[in-house]
Amino acid sequence: MEFVFLFILLGIMAVALGSGFPVAFALPGAAIITVSLAAICGYLFTGDTSAFFHTGGPYEWLSAGVLNLRGVYWEVERDTLIAIPLFIFMGIMLQRSKIAEDLLVAMAQLFGPVPGGLGISVVFVGALLAATTGIVGATVVAMGLISLPAMLRNRYSPSLATGAIAASGTLGQIIPPSIVLIILADQLASATDQASTARKAMHKEATGELQMPSFLDVSSTSAGEMFLGALIPGLVLVGLYMLYILGYALLKPSSAPVVKREGALDRKFALRILLILIPPLTLIFLVLGSIITGVATVNQAGAIGAVGALVMAGYRIKSGSALVFAPALISLVGIAVIAYALANYTMNIKAASTAEDMTGLILGAIGSSILLTGIGWSAVRTFKIDNTLGNVMMDTAKTTTLVFVILLGAAMLTSAFRAFGGEVLVRDFLTSLPGGFWSQFIIVMLVIFILGFFLDFIEIAVVVVPIVAPILLADPSANITAVWLGVMIGLNIQTSFLTPPFGFALFYLRGVVPKTLSTLSMYRGVVAFITLQLVALAIVGLWPPLVNYLPSRASLLSESAPPPRNPRLQLCLDEYVIDTISVSDKDIREAMVKARALDLATLPDDLARSMEGSIDKAENGLAALGEITIAASAVEAEEEGYRELLGVVRRIEKRIRTLESDGKEIASRIERLPGDAPSQRESLQKRLDETNEEIESLRREIPEQWDGVQKSFRELMKAQTQARNGYRRLADQAYGDVAQTLEILDAGPRFLALEGDLDGIRGIIENDPIEDAVAALRGLEKDFGEIAGGRDIKNALAKARRALDRKQDRQSALEEYGAAIASFTEQKAWRSDVTEATFEGIRGWHDAIRGTLGTRSQERLNREQALFLASCTAHHRDLTLHF
């Protein structure tokens, strides 16, 4: 019965949207009406308001949407929605300040002599505006007003002209910073949590293990990662647009003729182009660069963009004045002073203790004041001239409110959809499709593409994504990243601006094109660009590193990069070591021979054994790498046949689980039936019996050889895992032993420098007050504790301190002090006996294995390792065999 209300929910929403009812009210209205109707029907027919819900009751589902949105907005780790009004403000301010107009005019003159140059200039400016504004309507209208008359005047094909303008205006949806990417990141954060839970349950059902290894978990995403992931696909799309226009112009010169440049290509022209290009490019660099380098979060980058747009507008709308650039120059001076202070001083007001620290803080305060003066001056200008600032803030408030109201409505609609089992229905449909993940994914992409004909990008992002994303992300066969899925959906959603009948970019352009230009010619013009968007979608789908590489690279090269021992990195780290050793195996073997030839007699026995153990374990570790290859080959040989059988069994088991869930629901309904409903009880009992019979029938369909094949293959997988773990253990010990030995040897100068302090402590123990002696011992104890190899002396000094502090026993303290002296003398003797050749030999062995066997033991990856791992982790890795 709940499916009836599910169709009522979708029907009400479709009718409301089709009739032109505002989306912000259609989504929550459909949810409230349907949930209320289900509650009323449940009360009237069964006496239970929750009878016709899949789970829960009307109150829980009505409040769930509001609570979910409020929880997301206030959650510290997921505050990216705050960036939405900042980027909206930046885009509207740049559009109102006519910077887009300047860019279009300049680029048209620059690219005009190239075949299809005007069209290429439109795409180029569209890409620049996408990276600065991201407001589709503003971009399409601006380019339509400025460039369309010029293109038509120069005999451009009306279809090509309108198609290029409309398509270029939509680039703001995929080229960061983009509002849709922020919304998708927010939606995918919730979807990742659900997918992770589903995958853990799947792993437990498949293996019986209570805990799933972390490297099998679903990877989440953030707005910053979405921006990085969408950058290259966005540029790919720009390149496809430009190549298409260039090819069109070469094949049909009459439809995209060359335009002669007016004026000379001289220094004055170049200077004007630079003055127009440099400010928006600088803003792009500051906004995206601060995110990519990890200097700023998405919210902070949004604030940078908003302030930068305000400063740029401050000089653009005041053109012709003698002091037109004064606010911008003042702001630049302030930034320069702050940058100088940050580069040369410790800017920590709590830790400031010296005159130099105070100088840095004063410089920072002066720079901040100068910067605020420039920003304030720009704000005053934009406020006084045509009330630009006030209008921009009002438009920003309206747009932001619309976005958040739609988010709230969509959250309520999604909750209602789940209340009536819609999510289960969609999941069962997708998982029942033949072809596995890719058939599911293609169906989802097709549905999103079709919805783009009728719905706005925000509606699709907030209604469809929460339903389908957890299902796609949970599938271990593709093991896609959330950022890749988000960019794919973003590219798909972008087509919604061009697909008739409700292509918003077409509506925007229709409002500014001449009436003589038919709507049909506009539709013809965008067909090619819609096709190019689908081509870009296919390219990104077939080559995931286009999306995954930049986020992975930025993460691994950042200050907060995951340590080399991170479980997600281990497979790729093993590949790096195998590849590196395959090239440098000879060098490592030679270093091993030299290390074995070292004279270790001068070292203490424990250090000598440690060094010898390092060499032995390194040799065993190299052999273990070969065992990994052998074990992996054994798995690969059996993989194809096992994977096919695994797919058959898992599909049967999935169907069984669905039927078992249905059986529990039917049994629950039987229990809730009143005693005077024997016919309904009989009907439900018959359905329950049929369900149980189908379950038993499905269990008999599982191939008889399954248990044996699974056990055999699990043994191969276990052997591979043991080979990898064995190698990693040997490699860690090999490098750890030599690293510890070298650290002790390197600490020699610091160790010997404490001899005077150690000798002088005797008099303090004998003569000074107990409190002073305890303090002196504690200080010296700390000094030796910070030196590698100083533990024995530190422990003896600690015992002496405790003898004084607790027992007031100077004699016992002196005895323990004597033990410290003896240990120091022993170390001093062997340290002086160690030859330079032995010292350098140990260092040479350490350096020889540091970048291979010692990779996991480093504090962080070096650049070469990080780049290799970024490339390796950018590919999706099939995890089906673990489930």
Side-chain angles (χ1 to χ4, degrees):
M1 187 67 182
E2 57 263 23
F3 289 151
V4 173
F5 291 100
L6 179 64
F7 291 124
I8 292 174
L9 171 70
L10 298 177
I12 293 174
M13 182 188 70
V15 170
L17 293 175
S19 64
F21 200 74
V23 175
F25 302 106
L27 301 183
I32 293 171
I33 291 172
T34 309
V35 170
S36 301
L37 182 63
I40 292 170
C41 291
Y43 180 77
L44 292 176
F45 294 109
T46 68
D48 182 6
T49 57
S50 61
F52 298 135
F53 290 87
H54 188 69
T55 57
Y59 174 77
E60 290 89 337
W61 290 112
L62 281 176
S63 60
V66 180
L67 294 175
N68 287 343
L69 182 69
R70 187 177 67 182
V72 166
Y73 187 77
W74 287 108
E75 190 174 336
V76 176
E77 291 80 7
R78 291 173 54 191
D79 61 350
T80 50
L81 293 179
I82 299 173
I84 290 178
L86 296 172
F87 285 120
I88 291 175
F89 176 92
M90 179 178 74
I92 297 176
M93 180 61 77
L94 289 175
Q95 187 269 329
R96 291 290 184 90
S97 61
K98 299 185 178 179
I99 290 173
E101 180 178 341
D102 295 342
L103 282 170
L104 277 167
V105 172
M107 291 302 101
Q109 293 181 3
L110 187 64
F111 288 106
V114 179
L118 282 179
I120 292 174
S121 69
V122 167
V123 175
F124 183 82
V125 173
L128 285 180
L129 294 179
T132 52
T133 66
I135 308 299
V136 171
T139 304
V140 171
V141 169
M143 292 197 297
L145 288 171
I146 301 162
S147 63
L148 185 60
M151 296 176 80
L152 296 178
R153 188 170 57 250
N154 286 282
R155 303 189 311 280
Y156 262 68
S157 164
S159 296
L160 177 63
T162 54
I165 291 171
S168 301
T170 66
L171 289 171
Q173 295 308 294
I174 195 62
I175 294 180
S178 163
I179 304 303
V180 70
L181 293 177
I182 296 175
I183 295 174
L184 284 171
D186 177 72
Q187 298 297 319
L188 287 169
S190 297
T192 300
D193 295 339
Q194 298 173 46
S196 176
T197 302
R199 187 176 287 188
K200 288 173 182 175
M202 193 185 310
H203 184 266
K204 181 180 177 181
E205 290 173 357
T207 65
E209 298 175 3
L210 296 178
Q211 189 170 5
M212 182 179 72
S214 58
F215 77 92
L216 298 177
D217 209 348
V218 182
S219 59
S220 186
T221 187
S222 64
E225 288 186 339
M226 287 292 293
F227 283 3
L228 288 173
L231 186 58
I232 294 179
L235 296 178
V236 168
L237 193 57
V238 170
L240 289 174
Y241 286 174
M242 289 184 172
L243 286 175
Y244 169 74
I245 295 172
L246 179 61
Y248 193 98
L250 292 174
L251 293 174
K252 287 187 174 183
S254 60
S255 297
V258 171
V259 180
K260 293 183 179 180
R261 183 185 294 111
E262 299 178 2
L265 187 63
D266 53 13
R267 182 179 298 177
K268 183 178 179 181
F269 175 79
L271 181 62
R272 185 165 64 86
I273 294 294
L274 289 176
L275 286 176
I276 291 172
L277 274 178
I278 287 176
L281 288 176
T282 303
L283 187 61
I284 294 170
F285 173 78
L286 288 175
V287 173
L288 296 184
S290 61
I291 297 173
I292 292 172
T293 57
V295 173
T297 63
V298 173
N299 295 339
Q300 293 164 346
I304 293 171
V307 171
L310 182 64
V311 173
M312 289 170 64
Y315 68 75
R316 176 58 183 83
I317 63 177
K318 188 69 174 179
S319 57
S321 171
L323 298 175
V324 59
F325 292 108
L329 293 175
I330 289 174
S331 300
L332 290 175
V333 170
I335 292 173
V337 173
I338 294 172
Y340 176 81
L342 289 172
N344 294 279
Y345 299 94
T346 303
M347 303 294 287
N348 188 334
I349 193 169
K350 292 182 178 180
S353 58
T354 65
E356 184 179 5
D357 293 340
M358 294 306 300
T359 301
L361 293 173
I362 292 171
L363 278 176
I366 292 172
S368 300
S369 300
I370 296 173
L371 177 59
L372 289 173
T373 301
I375 296 171
W377 193 348
S378 299
V380 171
R381 273 189 179 177
T382 54
F383 181 74
K384 287 186 175 181
I385 299 176
D386 299 330
N387 192 29
T388 302
L389 181 60
N391 292 331
V392 169
M393 293 182 71
M394 183 60 69
D395 288 347
T396 300
K398 291 178 180 178
T399 307
T400 305
T401 301
L402 175 64
V403 170
F404 275 94
V405 171
I406 292 176
L407 284 173
L408 174 60
M412 296 183 68
L413 181 72
T414 303
S415 294
F417 187 80
R418 289 172 175 155
F420 300 115
E423 187 177 28
V424 175
L425 187 66
V426 172
R427 183 179 66 244
D428 291 345
F429 168 71
L430 290 178
T431 54
S432 65
L433 292 173
F437 169 84
W438 289 107
S439 63
Q440 301 172 21
F441 180 74
I442 291 171
I443 291 294
V444 168
M445 290 289 108
L446 183 62
V447 169
I448 291 176
F449 178 73
I450 293 173
L451 288 176
F453 284 76
F454 310 101
L455 299 179
D456 188 10
F457 73 96
I458 297 180
E459 301 157 34
I460 298 173
V462 299
V463 173
V464 178
V465 173
I467 297 170
V468 300
I471 301 170
L472 297 177
L473 288 171
D475 194 320
S477 63
N479 191 35
I480 59 173
T481 60
V483 64
W484 179 82
L485 179 62
V487 171
M488 291 292 290
I489 293 174
L491 278 169
N492 199 343
I493 287 176
Q494 189 181 350
T495 62
S496 68
F497 283 92
L498 299 179
T499 48
F502 300 122
F504 291 96
L506 300 176
F507 287 157
Y508 297 139
L509 190 58
R510 176 73 269 181
V512 297
V513 301
K515 293 183 179 179
T516 55
L517 195 64
S518 69
T519 302
L520 186 59
S521 67
M522 291 174 55
Y523 285 172
R524 283 200 302 266
V526 298
V527 169
F529 291 94
I530 294 173
T531 304
L532 291 174
Q533 289 177 337
L534 296 178
V535 169
L537 193 66
I539 292 172
V540 176
L542 294 172
W543 191 248
L546 289 174
V547 175
N548 294 330
Y549 177 73
L550 275 184
S552 182
R553 175 191 172 107
S555 172
L556 293 172
L557 289 176
S558 68
E559 291 297 325
S560 57
R565 288 180 182 268
N566 187 293
R568 291 182 180 275
L569 304 179
Q570 297 313 299
L571 291 178
C572 287
L573 205 57
D574 290 348
E575 290 181 20
Y576 170 80
V577 174
I578 291 172
D579 289 352
T580 305
I581 288 180
S582 67
V583 176
S584 60
D585 181 67
K586 182 179 178 181
D587 296 335
I588 295 177
R589 297 288 181 181
E590 289 177 355
M592 190 179 296
V593 172
K594 292 179 181 179
R596 287 198 185 278
L598 290 175
D599 181 10
L600 305 178
T602 55
L603 293 178
D605 291 343
D606 57 338
L607 292 186
R609 285 194 301 271
S610 180
M611 185 63 191
E612 291 169 352
S614 171
I615 302 168
D616 292 339
K617 290 165 185 171
E619 187 170 13
N620 294 334
L622 294 177
L625 282 176
E627 294 175 8
I628 290 177
T629 304
I630 295 172
S633 299
V635 171
E636 188 176 349
E638 301 293 331
E639 180 178 342
E640 186 175 350
Y642 176 75
R643 189 186 298 276
E644 183 178 349
L645 184 59
L646 177 68
V648 172
V649 174
R650 292 295 181 245
R651 281 193 293 272
I652 295 173
E653 290 177 342
K654 189 179 295 182
R655 178 60 182 160
I656 290 174
R657 286 195 296 271
T658 301
L659 290 173
E660 287 176 341
S661 177
D662 293 343
K664 290 179 181 178
E665 178 64 22
I666 295 171
S668 176
R669 292 175 62 181
I670 292 174
E671 291 178 1
R672 293 201 303 265
L673 282 175
D676 55 351
S679 60
Q680 293 184 35
R681 183 181 299 276
E682 183 179 351
S683 174
L684 288 175
Q685 185 62 48
K686 183 179 179 181
R687 282 180 56 191
L688 181 59
D689 294 340
E690 291 174 351
T691 300
N692 290 332
E693 288 177 6
E694 186 174 357
I695 291 172
E696 292 302 320
S697 175
L698 285 170
R699 284 178 175 156
R700 288 192 294 270
E701 290 181 15
I702 297 177
E704 294 181 2
Q705 73 270 27
W706 165 242
D707 290 337
V709 171
Q710 184 187 35
K711 182 179 180 181
S712 176
F713 192 81
R714 293 282 181 196
E715 290 297 325
L716 292 177
M717 291 285 289
K718 183 179 179 181
Q720 181 180 228
T721 301
Q722 289 175 342
R724 291 186 181 278
N725 290 338
Y727 153 72
R728 292 165 188 166
R729 183 170 56 254
L730 288 168
D732 292 346
Q733 292 172 351
Y735 179 77
D737 288 346
V738 68
Q740 184 180 19
T741 301
L742 185 61
E743 185 182 10
I744 292 173
L745 294 176
D746 279 335
R750 289 182 61 196
F751 181 84
L752 296 175
L754 294 176
E755 184 175 11
D757 294 338
L758 184 62
D759 289 340
I761 203 77
R762 174 184 289 276
I764 295 174
I765 295 174
E766 292 176 338
N767 303 315
D768 285 13
I770 294 294
E771 294 80 4
D772 295 345
V774 167
L777 283 168
R778 182 177 284 112
L780 193 58
E781 175 188 339
K782 180 181 178 183
D783 291 339
F784 275 103
E786 293 173 351
I787 297 176
R791 180 184 301 175
D792 291 343
I793 302 171
K794 171 185 175 293
N795 292 339
L797 292 174
K799 292 177 180 178
R801 173 178 54 79
R802 287 194 291 270
L804 283 177
D805 192 21
R806 299 176 183 176
K807 302 178 181 178
Q808 312 290 308
D809 187 348
R810 293 182 186 268
Q811 185 59 38
S812 296
L814 287 171
E815 290 175 2
E816 297 296 343
Y817 168 74
I821 288 290
S823 179
F824 183 89
T825 303
E826 181 184 352
Q827 279 209 45
K828 180 181 177 181
W830 72 253
R831 283 181 184 276
S832 62
D833 290 340
V834 176
T835 64
E836 186 68 21
T838 301
F839 196 167
E840 291 306 319
I842 293 173
R843 186 183 300 280
W845 172 242
H846 170 271
D847 294 343
I849 65 172
R850 179 174 56 185
T852 52
L853 300 180
T855 302
R856 276 169 40 92
S857 300
Q858 299 175 114
E859 290 186 4
R860 58 181 297 121
L861 299 166
N862 61 36
R863 183 175 181 81
E864 178 190 353
Q865 295 161 348
L867 293 180
F868 181 94
L869 263 63
S871 177
C872 177
T873 56
H875 294 270
H876 296 151
R877 193 183 295 268
D878 187 349
L879 301 177
T880 309
L881 300 179
H882 295 275
F883 287 82

